[in-house]
Amino acid sequence: MRVYVPLTLPGLAEAYKTGELVEGPFLAYAVTPALREWYLSDDIEELEYAALSRAALASLRLLAADAGAPRRRVVVAVDVSDDAASSDPDRGLDPAALGEVRVAGTVRLAKAAAVHVDAADAEADVTAAADALPAADGGDDDAQFVVDGAEDHELLWYATQEIPHLVG
């Protein structure tokens, strides 16, 4: 199963240093039955993109909690065994939990398939979105518009061999 792990650039640097993506158990995003139902598509590429987008929003939340992190969303795509990731059926109807899975164990960074990171030109919009998250979560439509603005930036794809350059 391909899962998308939200991180920050300092989190990616730590994973590169230790060789461990995230110590388990941890939350990631994947194509779950609830995500399939919500997205209304059978196209696996579209569904994978939806899961990646959910992880990008989770990365934005990590940025909002870490004022010192560079304002670029980071998502690592990694393949895990099907039995290593599970979704919570009780949270399946919660819009905030769409695509959410719990990965049971620690995952080695060497298992990563790719890294997705914002380009430098996204930093201003990502900064504004991270700052607006609390108000958006409180129901402020203007703040939600700012948060949605971060989604106008596509995450760039990087091979795992490029991680040293991303964190260097």
Side-chain angles (χ1 to χ4, degrees), residues 35-148:
L35 184 74
R36 283 180 185 276
E37 186 175 325
W38 171 74
Y39 199 75
L40 298 175
S41 175
D42 290 330
D43 185 324
I44 192 62
E45 287 184 16
E46 288 180 14
L47 291 165
E48 293 281 346
Y49 183 78
L52 171 65
S53 297
R54 302 295 298 170
L57 178 58
S59 176
L60 185 66
R61 291 190 179 286
L62 293 173
L63 290 173
D66 183 358
R71 302 332 240 178
R72 295 168 74 183
R73 298 168 298 167
V74 176
V75 176
V76 178
V78 62
D79 295 318
V80 299
S81 64
D82 288 345
D83 61 343
S86 61
S87 58
D88 183 348
D90 293 334
R91 289 184 41 91
L93 299 177
D94 180 355
L98 286 170
E100 193 177 88
V101 294
R102 179 162 301 281
V103 179
T106 301
V107 174
R108 305 278 309 154
L109 185 58
K111 296 285 188 180
V115 179
H116 303 270
V117 181
D118 275 311
D121 68 353
E123 286 185 20
D125 288 337
V126 171
T127 298
D131 293 343
L133 260 176
D137 287 344
D140 183 322
D141 290 337
D142 291 334
Q144 186 62 53
F145 181 78
V146 173
V147 170
D148 292 343

Side-chain angles (χ1 to χ4, degrees), residues 1 3 6 9 11 15 24 39 46 51-52 56 85 106 125 134 156 160 162:
M1 169 184 282
V3 299
L9 283 173
Y39 199 75
E46 288 180 14
L52 171 65
T106 301
D125 288 337
L156 303 178
T160 57
E162 296 176 276

